[in-house]
Amino acid sequence: MTSIRLALPNKGRIAQPVRELVEKSGIHLVGSGERKLVAKTVDPEIEVLFARPVDIPEYVANGAADIGITGHDMVMERGSDVEELLDLKMGGATLVAAVPEDSAVVEVVDLDGARVATEFPTITRTFFERHGVSVTIVPVGGACEATPYLGIADAIVDLTSSGTTIRTNRLRVIAEVLRSSTGVIANRTALTEKKEKVHEVLLALESVVRAQGQCYLMMNAQREALPAIEEVLPGLGGPTVMDVASKEGLVAVHAVVAEECVYQLINQLKRAGARDILVMSIERMIP
Ligand SMILES: Nc1ncnc2c1ncn2[C@@H]1O[C@H](COP(=O)(O)OP(=O)(O)OP(=O)(O)O)[C@@H](O)[C@H]1O
Ligand SMILES: O=P(O)(O)OC[C@H]1O[C@H](OP(=O)(O)OP(=O)(O)O)[C@H](O)[C@@H]1O
Ligand SMILES: [Mg+2]
């Protein structure tokens, strides 16, 4: 038996979506109470460890966990020696450098000698060093956008996604520092010594990501309508076509399509002769 430990965010904004993704992947948690730090799963070989997103890279690097899910920004900030295996296409945010709207600063070089507040001191230091700009880092644990107003920093380096916080605090972005999203990381030793199990978990998570934005269309049609229907249905090696038992000349057509196209497709399919159309969501896609 190969036991592996999977580290998941215990709080913060990616905790809930990650939890949902793991559940969808079939790795159901069993008996995990709100404040429990370790949980069992339906697979006796997989144990879950709940940790702060910022601590997960280090737990994975030192083997406390074999696999982890956290932000790319967290991995870069900790500088942990882990393998980044899969982008989960969630928790997308950009780390930016910003200054007060009325500041004279236009570009990064203008910040020479400035005080820069951030929750990401390592990434920020590296960024300004790369630009040959000398700054004083003011480390903060949150609410970074308030620091220029408080007079303790001239600029900030912080995450933005919707842009609301930057706008509300009357700040102006002058540079992009790092793009981040949530991903799966693995311990290097586990990748060789527990290779099969790690890949099993990875495949399960990947299957959920692959299914996102896709749905399954089912419909009936007279066989003569098939060419017109096939013309409407895009890609993926064409639709699956089956005879409908006991209904002479009637066929069932199934196809995987992008969710964003469904509205238009249904109208086109109806015009092409399809009826009894069903649209279903896909939980997982395994190649
Ligand atoms: N505005 C955002 N939009 C999308 N993802 C974000 C945003 N802010 C943070 N994240 C991502 O969420 C992950 C965890 O950060 P978050 O700040 O939610 O957790 P935390 O710092 O543990 O929580 P808190 O800030 O409430 O203490 C990071 O990898 C980060 O990139
Ligand atoms: O572009 P927006 O959608 O407005 O998001 C950006 C905000 O989200 C994060 O804050 P978080 O919620 O983690 O609070 P914190 O500042 O206390 O860490 C980040 O630090 C920004 O403050
Ligand atoms: Mg935060």
Side-chain angles (χ1 to χ4, degrees), residues 219 226 229-230 233-241 253-256:
M219 69 211 79
L226 265 181
I229 288 175
E230 279 171 345
L233 289 174
L236 271 185
T240 305
V241 179
V253 182
H254 295 190
V256 175

Side-chain angles (χ1 to χ4, degrees), residues 98-110:
V99 295
E101 268 170 8
D102 56 9
S103 161
V105 170
V106 176
E107 49 184 345
V108 177
V109 288
D110 300 337

Side-chain angles (χ1 to χ4, degrees), residues 11 33 49 56 61 67 95 104 119 122 150 168 180 185 187 193-194 200 209 234 237 241 243 275-276 281:
K11 51 183 175 179
L49 162 73
I56 290 176
I67 311 180
L95 198 58
E119 283 184 62
T122 306
L150 298 173
T168 310
S180 180
I185 55 175
N187 173 275
E193 289 179 5
K194 302 179 181 180
E200 194 182 297
V209 181
V241 179
D243 286 322
R275 59 181 170 92
D276 314 326
S281 63

Side-chain angles (χ1 to χ4, degrees), residues 11-14 52-53 71 73-74 91-93 159 161 180:
K11 51 183 175 179
R13 63 175 75 209
I14 58 171
R52 291 282 311 276
D73 51 351
M74 302 291 157
L159 287 166
S161 54
S180 180

